Amino acid sequence: MPHETDFDRNWALTDNYEQGPRWFIPGYDASHAMAAVLLRDRIGDRGRILVTGAGGGVELAVFARECRGWTFTGVDPSVEMLRQAKVKLEAAGAANRVSWVQGAVENAPKAPFDAATAFLALHFIPDDGRRLGTLRETHARLKPGAPFLMINGCADRNSAHFEDDLRVYTAFARRNGAPANVIDLAVSNLRESVFFVPPEREEALLAQAGFRDVRLFYRGLWIAGWIARC
């Protein structure tokens, strides 16, 4: 996972963390709802779920509402984002179902989990062996057959389409009312601090880490989500 200050610079685009992704990502809420449905379909009404990039608590709150029989370990490098997540889960009445880890997935307990998620987190990790290492650490913490759901920004910076995609991404945020300074910061972060890989590379990394049955379940512009099995 990225260093805390890198994470804060990249995604704390607004004092209200929840609003930022909704400005920029089509179907942001629908992606979380679909993930909750898929998790319930795969693990039923009981399960222990590892949530990487849990800061802010958005997906955790959705999952906690989906099923009272699920418990969670939330992992994030940012102290401030974990603080926000704790507040959100307390407001949802689910604080007693979450344990927190400040750090990376390798700092999480090794006892096997029934499922794991990593939403808008792994694209902050370079594809220089570290991202594959994070996926392998996740795989090592899952029961055989357990589902893993991942959402990342995916792109090829060398593609002729990259600038077109970036222009549409900013136009979507502008249409949704994102302030110009927030859009400028987001574009700067995308160019300098997000480690994009193309979708086919994401799938190859999942396979290298030991995951199988990799399937796309969500796409919004250049944001894509996969479900795979351990």
Side-chain angles (χ1 to χ4, degrees):
M1 293 293 291
H3 187 274
E4 177 180 342
T5 53
D6 292 334
F7 187 97
D8 292 341
R9 185 178 68 246
N10 284 323
W11 270 112
L13 299 177
T14 170
D15 289 338
N16 181 358
Y17 167 77
E18 290 194 39
Q19 183 57 50
R22 291 182 171 94
W23 278 328
F24 288 91
I25 301 174
Y28 177 74
D29 290 305
S31 72
H32 290 74
M34 190 68 242
V37 169
L38 287 168
L39 283 170
R40 190 157 197 164
D41 177 75
R42 299 306 197 268
I43 70 173
D45 294 335
R46 294 280 175 185
R48 186 182 180 196
I49 302 172
L50 175 64
V51 180
T52 297
V58 177
E59 62 264 44
L60 271 171
V62 173
F63 299 158
R65 289 193 297 269
E66 179 71 17
C67 187
R68 293 184 178 276
W70 293 346
T71 61
F72 310 94
T73 295
V75 181
D76 200 282
S78 169
V79 172
E80 171 57 23
M81 296 302 285
L82 283 177
R83 185 195 66 77
Q84 292 185 34
K86 291 174 184 178
V87 169
K88 190 169 184 64
L89 270 292
E90 287 169 3
N96 63 333
R97 291 194 277 142
V98 186
S99 60
W100 304 97
V101 175
Q102 194 239 320
V105 67
E106 54 262 35
N107 303 121
K110 293 186 177 180
F113 290 84
D114 298 288
T117 67
F119 293 172
L120 304 176
L122 300 191
H123 56 211
F124 292 117
I125 303 175
D127 182 21
D128 58 1
R130 281 178 281 179
R131 190 181 302 194
L132 177 58
T134 296
L135 289 169
R136 284 176 170 161
E137 290 284 353
T138 302
H139 186 277
R141 285 162 171 75
L142 288 170
K143 295 178 179 178
F148 172 55
L149 283 75
M150 176 180 76
I151 298 176
N152 276 335
C154 299
D156 182 352
R157 292 186 187 277
N158 298 317
S159 167
H161 300 297
F162 184 79
E163 292 301 325
D164 288 342
D165 291 342
L166 184 57
R167 186 176 64 253
V168 173
Y169 179 79
T170 58
F172 183 77
R174 192 177 303 113
R175 179 187 182 277
N176 289 338
N181 67 310
V182 171
I183 293 174
D184 290 344
L185 177 59
V187 170
S188 175
N189 287 334
L190 289 173
R191 291 190 184 281
E192 300 172 8
S193 304
V194 177
F195 300 98
F196 289 119
V197 299
E200 57 270 22
R201 178 59 179 162
E202 295 281 19
E203 294 181 5
L205 286 167
L206 285 166
Q208 282 183 263
F211 292 101
R212 55 197 172 93
D213 296 336
V214 179
R215 298 172 58 189
L216 191 72
F217 77 88
Y218 161 75
R219 186 70 186 254
L221 293 178
W222 56 15
I223 312 296
W226 288 268
I227 182 170
R229 283 197 297 153
C230 183

